[in-house]
Amino acid sequence: MRKKRSKQDKIYDTIIFIILTIIFAVVAYPLYFIVISSISNPEAVSSGRVFLFPVGLTFDGYMEVFKNQQVVSGFLNSLFYTFCGVMLNLALTLPTAYALSRNKFGGKKIVTIFYVITMFVSGGMIPTYLVVKNLHLLDSMFALILPGALGVYNMIVARTFFKMNISEELYDAAAIDGCAEAKFFFKIALPLSKAIIAIMVLYYGVGHWNSYFSALLYMKTETKFPLQLVLRSILVQNQSHLSQTITTAAQQEALEQRRQLMELMKYSLIIVSSLPVLIMYPLVQKHFVKGVMIGSIKG
């Protein structure tokens, strides 16, 4: 029989619900505002008339964005860089984490200390650039994915996950049946580690997708630019156009139209660039809590 809840419990639940609703509104409204602003009349957005619903519904911003071949090229480049980068990250992070989680791996403490030191001591931007240059990686995809091929923090999280979930007894049982280390890793450990793999995909994927500074340093060919660098270039170019000297009323009107279109494009570009990440989060949500709790809290 269901226990009747007291008045104090109901009051407490109501207060918590109100607080959480307010927090959700504070977090969600900026994103909602960007969405409705991207399909509203830019004049209404500038005047502050857009608050809860779109005003003067228009998709000119999105049409202008997708008419720009640089945006389409940058979007495809970012997808390619992100996919290749994540695959390389997983290929290095998971075997390293698994090896360091095994008790029988000799010297693992020294190797772990070596990795941890790199979290606090870095060569810096100029030495890294010189290394990339001397390896002849400038203006190539490898300049974007090789320098960050293994994230030490992510490796430690994955190592803790393997330590907590892949027991020595399980390995001993497999070894009795003649299972070698490599076969055990691929056939047993990885299938049991879907949660941490999903977390690694999320962490690395978001990092690659949002990265633009590495491309700014290493990439020269515009057709190879990732989306984030393309967006930056578009906004900088539009800003420079707005700073031109105006001599006639026709130029003033054209400049005002350009300013409004740029304002609309700004919100549309934010939505376009954020869409893959927004899609990715729900896909790994069911693994996220399990992977983070086991990999981080127990660690």
Side-chain angles (χ1 to χ4, degrees):
M1 183 177 179
R2 187 176 180 180
K3 184 179 179 180
K4 185 177 180 180
R5 305 180 69 225
S6 65
K7 182 179 179 181
Q8 289 81 1
D9 289 339
K10 293 180 180 179
I11 294 175
Y12 175 80
D13 289 346
T14 302
I15 294 174
I16 294 299
F17 177 79
I18 293 173
I19 293 175
L20 293 178
T21 302
I22 294 174
I23 294 175
F24 172 78
V26 170
V27 173
Y29 180 75
L31 179 60
Y32 175 72
F33 177 79
I34 292 174
V35 173
I36 61 176
S37 296
S38 68
I39 56 176
S40 296
N41 187 304
E43 186 178 352
V45 177
S46 301
S47 61
R49 289 188 286 126
V50 176
F51 183 67
L52 290 178
F53 303 102
V55 176
L57 187 66
T58 177
F59 294 94
D60 291 345
Y62 290 100
M63 293 175 62
E64 191 70 21
V65 166
F66 289 108
K67 280 195 305 184
N68 192 316
Q69 290 301 316
Q70 279 187 307
V71 173
V72 177
S73 174
F75 191 89
L76 296 177
N77 286 341
S78 285
L79 286 177
F80 181 69
Y81 297 154
T82 299
F83 175 79
C84 294
V86 169
M87 291 300 102
L88 179 62
N89 295 142
L90 294 179
L92 294 178
T93 301
L94 295 177
T96 303
Y98 170 77
L100 294 177
S101 70
R102 306 277 31 104
N103 293 331
K104 296 180 181 179
F105 178 61
K108 68 176 183 178
K109 290 185 178 180
I110 297 176
V111 175
T112 302
I113 292 173
F114 174 79
Y115 277 113
V116 171
I117 289 175
T118 64
M119 296 178 65
F120 303 99
V121 180
S122 172
M125 181 175 67
I126 295 177
T128 303
Y129 178 86
L130 293 176
V131 170
V132 172
K133 180 181 178 182
N134 292 334
L135 292 175
H136 306 289
L137 298 178
L138 290 178
D139 202 28
S140 72
M141 174 189 70
F142 299 103
L144 303 182
I145 65 175
L146 284 182
L150 189 146
V152 178
Y153 173 80
N154 293 337
M155 185 274 291
I156 293 175
V157 172
R159 183 202 64 175
T160 306
F161 182 92
F162 284 128
K163 186 72 174 177
M164 293 294 179
N165 291 271
I166 311 299
S167 64
E168 291 293 334
E169 291 78 9
L170 182 60
Y171 172 75
D172 292 337
I176 293 175
D177 292 333
C179 184
E181 283 281 3
K183 186 176 181 180
F184 180 82
F185 174 69
F186 288 106
K187 296 291 187 179
I188 299 177
L190 287 185
L192 294 176
S193 305
K194 293 179 181 179
I196 198 63
I197 293 175
I199 298 305
M200 293 297 103
V201 169
L202 179 63
Y203 283 175
Y204 281 123
V206 172
H208 283 294
W209 183 263
N210 289 333
S211 176
Y212 85 95
F213 190 68
S214 295
L216 186 63
L217 289 177
Y218 305 132
M219 306 298 283
K220 300 177 182 178
T221 307
E222 290 188 358
T223 55
K224 297 180 180 179
F225 283 0
L227 180 61
Q228 307 302 333
L229 194 56
V230 171
L231 302 188
R232 177 185 178 276
S233 301
I234 291 175
L235 294 178
V236 169
Q237 290 174 5
N238 288 337
Q239 195 65 38
S240 64
H241 290 158
L242 294 180
S243 62
Q244 295 176 351
T245 304
I246 302 170
T247 57
T248 64
Q251 289 180 339
Q252 174 67 34
E253 183 179 355
L255 183 66
E256 180 62 23
Q257 292 178 352
R258 180 68 181 177
R259 186 193 66 79
Q260 292 183 0
L261 182 60
M262 188 192 76
E263 191 72 15
L264 200 58
M265 282 183 62
K266 179 175 67 175
Y267 293 112
S268 302
L269 287 170
I270 293 174
I271 296 299
V272 171
S273 62
S274 302
L275 193 60
V277 176
L278 295 176
I279 294 174
M280 186 185 300
Y281 270 104
L283 296 178
V284 300
Q285 183 181 11
K286 63 179 181 180
H287 300 293
F288 188 82
V289 175
K290 181 181 178 182
V292 170
M293 289 185 66
I294 296 177
S296 298
I297 296 178
K298 289 187 177 181

